[in-house]
Amino acid sequence: MRFEAVIGLEIHAQLLTESKLFCGCSTKFGNPPNTNICPVCMGHPGVLPILNKKAVEFTIRMGLATSCTINKYSIFARKNYFYPDLPKGYQISQYELPLCSNGYLEIEHQNQRKKIRINRIHLEEDAGKSIHDQGNFTLLDFNRCGVPLIEIVTAPDIQTPEEAGIFLSEIRQIVKYLGICDGNMEEGSLRCDANVSIREAGSNILGTKTEVKNMNSIKNVVDALKYEIERQIEIVSSGGRIIQQTLLWNADKQIIEPMRTKEESHDYRYFPEPDLPIVEVNEEWLNVIRENLPELPSIRKERMKSQYNIPDYDIEILTTEKEFADYFEETAKFTDDYKSISNWFMTEILKILNEQKISIKEFPIKPEYLGELIKLINNQTISGKIAKEVFNEMLVEPGSPSEIIKEKNLIQISDEKIIEEIVQKVIESNQKQVQQYLEGKDKVFAHFVGQVMRETKGKANPSLVNKILKEKLDNLRK
Amino acid sequence: MIVEKVENYLKRIQDKKHLNAFLEVFSEESIQRANQLEKKIHNGESVGKLCGTVVAVKDNIAIKDKKLTCGSKILENFTSLYNATVIEKLLAEDAIIIGKTNLDEFAMGSSNENSAFGIVKNPYDEKRVPGGSSGGSAVAVASEMCDVALGSDTGGSIRQPAAFCGVYGLKPTYGRVSRFGLVAFASSFDCIGLIARDSISLAKTLNVISGYDLKDSTSSNQKVPEYDSIIQNLPKDNITFGVPVEFFNDGLQSDIKNKIFEIIEFLKSNSFQILEISLPHIKYSIADYYLLTTAEASSNLSRYDGVKYGSRIELPQSIKDLYTQTRDEYFGNEVKRRIMLGTFVLSAGYYDAYYLKAQKVRRLIQNDFIDAFNKVDFIISPTTPTTAFKIGEKTDNPLSMYLSDIYTTSANLAGLPAINIPIGFDSNKLPIGMQLMANFFKEDLLLQMSYFIENNFNKNKLGN
Amino acid sequence: MKITKELILHIAELSHLKLKEDEIEKFQIELNQILEYVDNLNEIDTSSIEPLSHPLPIVNVFREDRVEKSITREEALKNAPEATDEFFKVPKVI
């Protein structure tokens, strides 16, 4: 019997607002525990929530980017359950009328395009953090409590772990491009849970599904889904039944484990939040958001392809992250040698980002300086080799390329007279090699070039050096 | 003069301690503040609109750095970190807050017998209840322990104790006064309101505490009239009172019925129109009220869990025990009863039949009033079906306690303003109150009519 | 609608109330009485009626996305039943 998998994803993205969803506390990550809190997000007696407009706009941006219907009326609801990191004993979320519904995202996998439907995108508040491993107690930090989240729920249209990985990647890229979330799965600003079931291939009856959580990277999502699907297939193949349960992915052991706590009966007793009025999104507001929508990845790619005459492959790499594309286009303001920018980026910059594990935002060389550097190569002020040196210098020293060149006296020597002199000197002091060259040993040429470069500390214009050396040596033949 | 007034009030509070109206008295601070204000006046400095007005505050309204117990053991030692918006406003106008008054636990009750810190006694007959849940506030005003008191009204909790204690009690339109800092019982019903011995005091204070508040998304930005300066401007021509047929049935105590008829005659003799009206769905108000308010309450009270503030049991063995034992131990019976009912109403399988149904009935009840106010300016009724009942009389029968809210709950269901006006006494010399309801944001009219009745209808002054 | 003891226990569980034996019985009786009373709502035909969640027809109340002063950690922990210098503390959850 052949099986197929049915996968639906629930993705939570922390929104990049300055303040929390219902109060003015900062959302800044990494502050000392319990310092980004106030009576409102702590659920003190008598407090009331006030809705952050920007969070609503960010949610609508995501809805527009995924072709959702932006609902004209939308309401908040209370999701009631008890957990120590949920101060009010309920989470303000959305239930019956979410901000966005019925959208989709197209993904490409194995040369096939496929539409994954998005049932809904809604806005809700995050809970605090529980720390369980410090002893025979649990510690609570409410900094994260009240940070805005969007929840993206797909239809069970995903059929393989790889598709799930691609979908999640696309979502990640979009939220980053939209400027609404930093997409960091390791830090938890992007989280993914999956609902998984299997059925006989070709059937349209859904099997019992399990919920898989704790997958904190795209790779973990793919691995966990692979594991769970196999686990389910094994059970069903040997005549067993799938038990509906919540499972956790253990990335260290690379296995699926059941959740250790006893399942709370999931009766959330949703009802409309009485403390928050209805949200009405009229055409006017929607148009303002539409007009100000940051460029979506697919659109940016197309535009960059037509605007910069560089290979599609380069554009693909440059647009994998919005910040890469930003860096490129910023640099392109300072030089129109786009191919060079692309080359520098793909070979040097990416390497450094990977080695030092930093983001392009933390990369020390300003786009302006890279542009300047390329200009200086192109107008022959410095050679490509010296440029590399300047580049490396800029990684650790502040200062523009021109400043560094001046300081370190790296200007390319293009004065033919000076080069002639030096070439002459080198020829005269390397008679043995001259003899070898004249006898036909072409490889020795490189030796002369090397000597000239040494004499000039690498600053001699290489093409001039080549030209003059050849001339002089050929003259000697006569 | 202010200092003398405060000192007198403090003495009265002390002398009548056994009524248990106050949970906390700010003696030193009040005297200090009174001295400061007298100095300001003496120096010719400008002072606030409520300069020297002594206010008692129900202990479910937050005052920074003061205990906020809500009459409950679960918040017995809890200190508020902020001021409710109404408190900020009162302080900005130089009011003096003399203390926190006793209440039914979390404002749930109609007799002030549900406080974890002892019952409150009715000054007219100490064997009887003062009403609830703002019992402490009503007694503080009736016994002259303050000028005016803040209370909260979710189903009658200001008007009913005001009626039982023979004082004026106003529930404003929902959203007229900010709820920020009022400990939530039922969020779409709760109103902060006022209790005083005369209509002008209500008006002056309402001026100050009303208005849009950024911190309360359900507060209204309707303009706030100068209630006190227009209080004498009752538009005497063309005023109609609606008398709902549904309100005069068997359960109503006969002296009360007679007194209401008396006042209707008085109104007629002053050329006001009287019209019989019908509020067809009014008989469902209590059921509707109890379904919806307990549902909201069950959610609002989930935050009292012993985790981040409030009482916690000793040595919890597990997190589950911490929650369940703390809540069972430190919540009183009425609170637990309502949480249970509310949880049931919202639970899977019952939501549609109970909660959703109740919300639809709420719409019908509100519609009844909207229709009525197309024809009349006021709706007149008794405030309570009986005068103050005896302590312990209804505690064994929660349902009979709930049924005594028959006249007051509909105003909260619809969100309308309503006032209790004391109009006499029954054969046991217990106060009788009448209720007037008006259309949304017509507190000005209510106060004008209250003032008119106060000054023109012959009623006995307060004995004390 | 009759509330069984089972249902009472279920509701108590959802409400996180650890009821004692006598409480369970008492609540069962009281809740049944109340429910009997509220069942008269079923008389009314509400099939075409819109539910009322907010008494006033307010829409779109927002705040600007601006950071405002919070309280200090000391203030936040002030009312905590149990805490360290930095965290709130409860019995181990998992």
Side-chain angles (χ1 to χ4, degrees):
Chain A
M1 179 151 66
R2 275 194 59 236
F3 291 98
E4 64 184 24
V6 177
I7 302 169
L9 297 181
E10 265 172 39
I11 299 165
H12 285 90
Q14 256 179 20
L15 297 181
L16 285 173
T17 52
E18 297 285 321
S19 61
K20 292 186 178 181
L21 186 52
F22 297 118
C23 66
C25 290
S26 165
T27 52
K28 189 147 167 268
F29 183 81
N31 278 352
N34 291 306
T35 52
N36 285 352
I37 59 181
C38 75
V40 176
C41 53
M42 286 243 16
H44 270 218
V47 298
L48 295 170
I50 323 151
L51 184 56
N52 182 328
K53 189 171 189 186
K54 192 146 233 134
V56 177
E57 290 184 346
F58 280 6
T59 312
I60 294 174
R61 278 193 206 176
M62 193 61 189
L64 290 173
T66 51
S67 310
C68 288
T69 303
I70 309 301
N71 292 317
K72 179 153 192 220
Y73 295 108
S74 161
I75 62 176
F76 285 92
R78 292 194 188 176
K79 180 179 182 182
N80 296 281
Y81 65 96
F82 287 94
Y83 201 78
D85 63 20
L86 191 67
K88 297 192 289 292
Y90 58 87
Q91 176 196 29
I92 300 179
S93 175
Q94 296 193 285
Y95 185 60
E96 281 173 334
L97 285 175
L99 278 165
C100 317
S101 42
N102 297 329
Y104 64 87
L105 201 58
E106 265 188 30
I107 56 169
E108 199 171 309
H109 180 48
Q110 294 174 335
N111 278 320
Q112 296 240 7
R113 289 200 75 76
K114 186 174 171 178
K115 217 178 190 179
I116 308 291
R117 289 167 303 163
I118 290 173
N119 284 344
R120 51 188 282 143
I121 301 177
H122 72 247
L123 181 55
E124 61 184 25
E125 55 175 350
D126 207 348
K129 266 212 172 85
S130 301
I131 300 164
H132 305 292
D133 60 358
Q134 297 294 306
N136 194 21
F137 44 79
T138 292
L139 297 175
L140 301 167
D141 173 13
F142 293 108
N143 279 357
R144 201 184 62 180
C145 206
V147 168
L149 293 176
I150 49 170
E151 180 173 332
I152 304 164
V153 182
T154 74
D157 292 345
I158 297 171
Q159 292 173 301
T160 68
E162 290 75 20
E163 279 178 16
I166 293 169
F167 181 84
L168 192 52
S169 261
E170 287 287 316
I171 292 283
R172 191 162 159 270
Q173 194 182 55
I174 294 175
V175 299
K176 292 176 73 172
Y177 266 76
L178 290 177
I180 65 175
C181 172
D182 66 16
N184 189 327
M185 289 190 76
E186 284 74 15
E187 278 177 5
S189 42
L190 189 68
R191 303 168 217 161
C192 180
D193 298 332
N195 290 311
V196 193
S197 66
I198 58 166
R199 61 185 177 193
E200 220 180 300
S203 155
N204 52 15
I205 306 172
L206 290 172
T208 308
K209 63 178 177 189
T210 59
E211 195 187 353
V212 183
K213 291 163 118 59
N214 202 37
M215 306 171 286
N216 66 354
S217 69
I218 295 182
K219 180 170 183 303
N220 276 325
V221 169
V222 177
D223 290 344
L225 288 174
K226 274 197 185 126
Y227 188 101
E228 175 60 9
I229 291 167
E230 264 174 51
R231 185 189 78 90
Q232 289 196 14
I233 291 178
E234 229 185 275
I235 292 176
V236 173
S237 304
S238 51
R241 298 237 318 258
I242 306 295
I243 306 170
Q244 182 165 1
Q245 55 183 313
T246 303
L247 303 163
L248 299 177
W249 174 244
N250 184 325
D252 294 328
K253 295 190 193 153
Q254 293 281 297
I255 58 170
I256 288 259
E257 291 170 329
M259 264 184 94
R260 271 173 292 155
T261 49
K262 207 170 76 157
E263 280 272 274
E264 281 257 314
S265 29
H266 285 309
D267 184 357
Y268 294 121
R269 308 187 293 291
Y270 286 100
F271 69 99
E273 171 58 79
D275 292 331
L276 291 172
I278 294 175
V279 175
E280 184 186 347
V281 184
N282 59 18
E283 269 312 301
E284 211 183 297
W285 188 16
L286 200 54
N287 284 333
V288 171
I289 301 175
R290 234 184 232 123
E291 278 155 33
N292 290 314
L293 205 63
E295 224 176 355
L296 290 176
S298 49
I299 300 187
R300 189 161 194 175
K301 271 184 222 182
E302 289 310 306
R303 177 180 63 76
M304 282 175 69
K305 279 180 191 163
S306 59
Q307 193 172 335
Y308 305 103
N309 194 10
I310 57 178
D312 284 358
Y313 174 79
D314 290 28
I315 301 271
E316 285 296 327
I317 306 256
L318 289 169
T319 54
T320 42
E321 303 266 337
K322 174 174 177 285
E323 288 76 21
F324 290 177
D326 289 345
Y327 190 94
F328 172 87
E329 293 208 85
E330 187 63 25
T331 312
K333 289 184 188 159
F334 298 99
T335 169
D336 53 14
D337 182 357
Y338 307 130
K339 187 65 181 118
S340 289
I341 306 177
S342 176
N343 289 342
W344 277 98
F345 196 94
M346 292 196 300
T347 52
E348 300 302 323
I349 297 182
L350 276 183
K351 191 171 84 180
I352 290 166
L353 296 185
N354 284 330
E355 277 170 8
Q356 297 187 14
K357 295 200 190 315
I358 56 174
S359 71
I360 187 68
K361 284 224 160 104
E362 296 162 294
F363 182 69
I365 303 178
K366 295 198 269 200
E368 190 184 331
Y369 289 177
L370 179 61
E372 204 185 303
L373 188 68
I374 292 170
K375 267 216 202 94
L376 291 170
I377 299 170
N378 289 347
N379 68 17
Q380 311 251 355
T381 309
I382 52 173
S383 67
K385 197 144 176 270
I386 295 287
K388 269 277 198 50
E389 238 181 86
V390 175
F391 182 87
N392 289 334
E393 198 59 34
M394 285 198 288
L395 289 175
V396 293
E397 293 291 326
S400 71
S402 315
E403 284 165 5
I404 292 174
I405 286 168
K406 202 150 155 226
E407 204 186 292
K408 300 209 182 280
N409 198 9
L410 295 171
I411 294 183
Q412 189 163 247
I413 299 174
S414 294
D415 186 336
E416 295 211 20
K417 263 230 169 116
I418 298 181
I419 295 182
E420 268 189 45
E421 268 175 46
I422 296 175
V423 165
Q424 190 61 36
K425 201 163 127 206
V426 163
I427 289 179
E428 282 165 12
S429 44
N430 286 277
Q431 285 300 308
K432 185 159 146 233
Q433 288 82 350
V434 171
Q435 204 47 43
Q436 288 175 331
Y437 181 77
L438 291 176
E439 281 167 11
K441 258 189 163 176
D442 288 335
K443 281 205 190 141
V444 176
F445 192 82
H447 172 80
F448 298 127
V449 173
Q451 292 297 313
V452 172
M453 285 307 187
R454 233 183 61 185
E455 278 295 314
T456 62
K457 295 202 180 55
K459 290 189 283 186
N461 184 326
S463 45
L464 280 182
V465 167
N466 279 345
K467 185 180 103 176
I468 294 170
L469 246 183
K470 198 139 192 307
E471 267 175 27
K472 285 217 181 275
L473 287 169
D474 283 350
N475 278 342
L476 286 178
R477 272 192 218 275
K478 296 186 186 129
Chain B
M1 245 189 70
I2 301 178
V3 176
E4 195 184 326
K5 179 170 71 166
V6 172
E7 281 172 348
N8 284 336
Y9 281 149
L10 288 171
K11 180 158 190 308
R12 190 88 44 72
I13 293 173
Q14 186 57 33
D15 289 344
K16 307 250 172 191
K17 229 167 127 176
H18 62 285
L19 295 178
N20 204 19
F22 279 86
L23 291 177
E24 206 178 339
V25 185
F26 309 139
S27 327
E28 274 169 42
E29 284 156 340
S30 304
I31 302 275
Q32 220 177 55
R33 190 74 187 120
N35 276 314
Q36 279 172 1
L37 290 172
E38 278 190 5
K39 210 186 250 169
K40 261 172 118 173
I41 297 173
H42 183 74
N43 292 342
E45 289 171 46
S46 70
V47 288
K49 290 189 223 157
L50 290 180
C51 180
T53 301
V54 178
V55 185
V57 175
K58 187 175 181 181
D59 202 16
N60 61 354
I61 296 173
I63 299 183
K64 187 170 194 287
D65 298 331
K66 297 288 183 212
K67 295 233 294 278
L68 179 61
T69 70
C70 301
S72 180
K73 294 224 286 272
I74 214 167
L75 287 178
E76 191 167 0
N77 293 305
F78 174 77
T79 303
S80 179
L81 299 181
Y82 68 96
N83 274 331
T85 298
V86 294
I87 301 295
E88 293 284 352
K89 291 184 171 205
L90 289 172
L91 294 175
E93 296 295 347
D94 292 332
I96 298 175
I97 298 179
I98 198 167
K100 302 300 278 301
T101 56
N102 206 344
L103 66 161
D104 277 304
E105 190 180 355
F106 284 107
M108 298 179 187
S110 309
S111 64
N112 224 134
E113 293 173 288
N114 293 330
S115 168
F117 308 113
I119 58 173
V120 177
K121 298 183 179 155
N122 191 317
Y124 283 89
D125 177 346
E126 292 175 18
K127 293 203 174 62
R128 292 177 185 264
V129 302
S133 56
S134 311
S137 286
V139 170
V141 169
S143 304
E144 295 182 71
M145 298 172 178
C146 61
D147 291 320
V148 80
L150 252 51
S152 70
D153 191 312
T154 302
S157 289
I158 282 178
R159 293 161 285 153
Q160 184 246 34
F164 280 7
C165 294
V167 287
Y168 294 81
L170 174 69
K171 172 209 166 304
T173 308
Y174 180 86
R176 174 78 289 180
V177 176
S178 167
R179 285 187 299 123
F180 186 79
L182 170 64
V183 178
F185 156 12
S187 317
S188 70
F189 291 76
D190 294 339
C191 291
I192 291 182
L194 299 166
I195 302 177
R197 292 185 290 280
D198 59 72
S199 311
I200 290 192
S201 301
L202 289 179
K204 280 200 164 114
T205 318
L206 188 63
N207 265 345
V208 169
I209 63 172
S210 299
Y212 175 67
D213 181 18
L214 278 171
K215 300 199 189 114
D216 176 357
S217 303
T218 59
S219 68
S220 166
N221 52 17
Q222 279 263 346
K223 189 159 175 290
V224 182
E226 295 237 337
Y227 298 111
D228 55 343
S229 26
I230 60 173
I231 204 169
Q232 298 187 45
N233 305 352
L234 179 68
K236 282 206 67 191
D237 306 319
N238 225 355
I239 290 220
T240 310
F241 286 82
V243 181
V245 299
E246 292 85 1
F247 274 167
F248 293 89
N249 53 29
D250 298 330
L252 182 56
Q253 186 176 318
S254 55
D255 333 28
I256 299 184
K257 191 191 288 189
N258 293 336
K259 210 61 183 173
I260 299 288
F261 286 158
E262 204 184 310
I263 203 148
I264 290 177
E265 285 312 308
F266 160 79
L267 293 170
K268 275 191 193 156
S269 71
N270 276 278
S271 309
F272 295 119
Q273 305 292 320
I274 310 289
L275 187 65
E276 200 178 76
I277 59 170
S278 171
L279 300 167
H281 299 95
I282 211 77
K283 64 182 183 185
Y284 303 108
S285 328
I286 293 187
D288 204 36
Y289 170 81
Y290 275 97
L291 285 173
L292 293 173
T293 56
T294 55
E296 290 185 12
S298 69
S299 178
N300 282 326
L301 267 61
S302 292
R303 66 191 64 194
Y304 306 109
D305 56 13
V307 172
K308 58 270 166 214
Y309 54 74
S311 311
R312 182 194 282 194
I313 53 161
E314 297 278 312
L315 307 172
Q317 294 301 302
S318 67
I319 185 75
K320 190 72 179 289
D321 275 354
L322 191 160
Y323 275 119
T324 59
Q325 286 178 26
T326 297
R327 288 160 62 81
D328 188 63
E329 180 71 27
Y330 294 112
F331 278 144
N333 282 331
E334 185 59 37
V335 168
K336 284 192 275 196
R337 186 165 28 240
R338 297 201 195 193
I339 290 175
M340 294 279 288
L341 181 57
T343 302
F344 168 75
V345 163
L346 290 173
S347 63
Y350 300 106
Y351 179 91
D352 282 0
Y354 289 99
Y355 186 77
L356 189 56
K357 180 91 185 177
Q359 282 194 314
K360 293 181 176 193
V361 174
R362 188 176 186 183
R363 170 83 59 194
L364 289 173
I365 293 175
Q366 193 188 57
N367 285 346
D368 281 357
F369 281 100
I370 293 174
D371 287 341
F373 283 118
N374 278 333
K375 306 186 203 114
V376 303
D377 303 291
F378 295 102
I379 292 176
I380 187 171
S381 73
T383 305
T384 54
T386 67
T387 51
F389 45 88
K390 290 216 168 68
I391 292 170
E393 191 179 317
K394 296 189 193 253
T395 43
D396 282 337
N397 193 343
L399 187 57
S400 82
M401 186 78 86
Y402 296 168
L403 290 174
S404 58
D405 293 334
I406 183 93
Y407 298 113
T408 50
T409 50
S410 47
N412 304 82
L413 283 161
L416 293 165
I419 190 171
N420 173 75
I421 302 171
I423 52 171
F425 298 87
D426 73 357
S427 50
N428 287 327
K429 299 211 175 64
L430 298 169
I432 292 175
M434 67 172 263
Q435 177 181 251
L436 285 182
M437 291 173 67
N439 212 345
F440 298 100
F441 299 104
K442 295 310 287 169
E443 289 82 359
D444 50 353
L445 212 57
L446 283 177
L447 289 165
Q448 286 163 343
M449 185 51 77
S450 172
Y451 182 82
F452 181 83
I453 293 176
E454 180 182 345
N455 289 291
N456 293 288
F457 180 72
N458 188 21
K459 63 182 181 356
N460 300 322
K461 294 284 180 178
L462 294 165
N464 300 353
Chain C
M1 171 72 224
K2 206 72 175 102
I3 298 196
T4 60
K5 180 169 174 182
E6 237 165 39
L7 189 51
I8 292 282
L9 291 174
H10 175 63
I11 297 170
E13 171 73 31
L14 288 179
S15 316
H16 271 44
L17 289 170
K18 193 177 190 129
L19 300 180
K20 306 180 196 76
E21 263 316 303
D22 58 336
E23 282 181 306
I24 298 172
E25 265 176 54
K26 190 162 67 93
F27 283 138
Q28 195 181 348
I29 297 173
E30 288 167 355
L31 258 46
N32 272 316
Q33 259 175 12
I34 296 169
L35 275 191
E36 211 181 291
Y37 175 71
V38 303
D39 271 343
N40 66 8
L41 285 191
N42 290 328
E43 291 164 16
I44 319 175
D45 177 16
T46 52
S47 44
S48 58
I49 309 294
E50 274 302 297
L52 183 65
S53 303
H54 299 90
L56 297 180
I58 303 178
V59 296
N60 284 355
V61 180
F62 299 122
R63 42 169 275 275
E64 291 304 309
D65 184 30
R66 212 179 14 227
V67 175
E68 262 137 57
K69 195 173 134 258
S70 296
I71 52 178
T72 64
R73 180 156 66 200
E74 286 65 46
E75 285 177 285
L77 293 172
K78 189 162 82 161
N79 285 295
E82 215 188 323
T84 66
D85 284 338
E86 300 178 294
F87 295 95
F88 294 83
K89 201 168 163 190
V90 292
K92 197 159 184 133
V93 179
I94 54 170

